[in-house]
């Protein structure tokens, strides 16, 4: 089974997807971390992020190592562990320039599909991001659009960050501006065909995980016509 979890920044996609994957014994793929890792690599190389061709070439060249174990999410770029580094505010401030580069998107979508295919023999994966249900894996047996109101999303993102690591303005930029930028290349704010929309504003993490796991069991009972 492939479960696609899409949604805006701060909606709880990562925590939810990890929890669902852990409970159902599936692999977990954080596609947003891949864009962050490419951002880190481009900045390390001193690239001008507005140089679309140079950034796309870096995306094709960088060696990404991604753990799909939901209880051990680790990421490396060219042999360097960037698990913590890709959550730095400087990455958050720049990642939209990477995510809106269409050649970068094409490369990372290719890699994401390879990882999804590799997960099939082990039972499947929970894949979270912006356009998983619509572009990366439209064949997913379960598609979820996870939403929350802006105040809840900002509070959740703030809770993920170290105290004082970002200002209120930077936090709003991470949520509001990133969504606006990313919406130019990915339609993640409207449920795709066959997707279930879950508003998590007033739900706990465990409640959201419960809902998705129930939906997964229901989807699993329905014969699939998905082809590889």
């Amino acid at each position: 089974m492939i479960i696609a979890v899409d949604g805006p920044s701060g909606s709880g996609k990562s925590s939810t997807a990890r929890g669902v994957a852990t409970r159902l014994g599936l692999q977990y793929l954080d596609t947003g971390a891949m864009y962050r890792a490419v951002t880190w690599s481009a900045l390390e190389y001193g690239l001008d992020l507005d140089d679309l061709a140079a950034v796309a070439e870096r995306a094709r060249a960088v060696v990404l190592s991604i753990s799909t174990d939901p209880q051990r999410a680790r990421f490396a770029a060219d042999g360097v562990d960037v698990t913590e580094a890709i959550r730095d505010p400087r990455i958050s401030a720049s990642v939209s320039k990477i995510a809106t580069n269409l050649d970068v998107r094409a490369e990372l979508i290719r890699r994401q599909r390879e990882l999804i295919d590799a997960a099939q023999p082990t039972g499947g994966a929970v894949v979270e991001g912006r356009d998983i249900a619509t572009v990366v894996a439209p064949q997913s047996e379960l598609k979820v659009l996870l939403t929350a109101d802006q105040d809840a999303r900002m509070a959740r993102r703030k809770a993920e960050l170290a105290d004082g690591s970002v200002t209120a303005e930077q936090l709003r930029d991470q949520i509001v501006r990133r969504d606006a930028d990313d919406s130019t290349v990915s339609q993640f704010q409207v449920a795709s065909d066959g997707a279930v929309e879950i508003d998590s504003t007033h739900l706990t993490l465990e409640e959201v995980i419960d809902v998705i796991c129930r939906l997964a069991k229901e989807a699993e009972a329905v014969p699939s016509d998905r082809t590889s």
Side-chain angles (χ1 to χ4, degrees), residues 129-150:
R130 299 288 210 187
D131 52 5
I132 309 306
T134 54
V135 178
V136 179
Q139 77 279 15
S140 299
E141 285 85 358
L142 175 60
K143 305 173 185 179
V144 173
L145 176 65
L146 189 61
T147 64
D149 67 29
Q150 183 174 301

Side-chain angles (χ1 to χ4, degrees), residues 103-216:
D103 288 336
V104 171
R105 293 190 75 81
E107 170 61 17
L108 292 189
I109 288 169
R110 181 189 68 78
R111 296 194 192 204
Q112 289 156 16
R113 287 173 174 163
E114 287 182 349
L115 289 167
I116 291 170
D117 287 344
Q120 295 284 11
T122 66
V126 183
V127 187
E128 60 102 340
R130 299 288 210 187
D131 52 5
I132 309 306
T134 54
V135 178
V136 179
Q139 77 279 15
S140 299
E141 285 85 358
L142 175 60
K143 305 173 185 179
V144 173
L145 176 65
L146 189 61
T147 64
D149 67 29
Q150 183 174 301
D151 288 342
R153 292 189 290 119
M154 289 182 65
R156 288 170 184 168
R157 180 53 56 82
K158 183 178 181 179
E160 295 173 355
L161 302 171
D163 287 343
S165 62
V166 295
T167 64
E169 183 178 347
Q170 289 173 323
L171 182 63
R172 180 174 293 276
D173 179 76
Q174 286 189 25
I175 299 295
V176 180
R177 193 266 308 161
R178 263 205 69 196
D179 284 348
D181 287 350
D182 290 0
S183 67
T184 63
V185 294
S186 175
Q187 298 302 314
F188 60 89
Q189 304 195 57
V190 178
S192 61
D193 289 345
V196 178
E197 182 172 353
I198 300 174
D199 185 339
S200 67
T201 302
H202 303 295
L203 298 176
T204 67
L205 174 61
E206 286 303 312
E207 287 172 334
V208 178
I209 292 171
D210 286 343
V211 171
I212 296 178
C213 287
R214 174 177 56 79
L215 292 171

Side-chain angles (χ1 to χ4, degrees), residues 1-59:
M1 168 171 281
I2 301 300
I3 301 175
V5 181
D6 292 312
S9 299
S11 58
K13 298 188 303 293
S14 296
S15 298
T16 297
R18 278 198 303 270
V20 171
T22 298
R23 191 178 297 183
L24 298 181
L26 301 176
Q27 293 186 47
Y28 162 65
L29 178 58
D30 177 354
T31 63
M34 297 175 71
Y35 286 98
R36 286 174 172 271
V38 171
T39 305
W40 178 89
S41 181
L43 291 174
E44 285 294 298
Y45 272 75
L47 299 182
D48 177 355
L49 301 189
D50 290 320
D51 186 340
L52 302 184
V55 172
E57 180 56 33
R58 177 90 299 265

Side-chain angles (χ1 to χ4, degrees), residues 81-92:
D81 188 326
V82 295
T83 306
E84 302 299 329
I86 61 175
R87 304 302 173 184
D88 189 88
R90 79 179 183 116
I91 303 298
S92 298

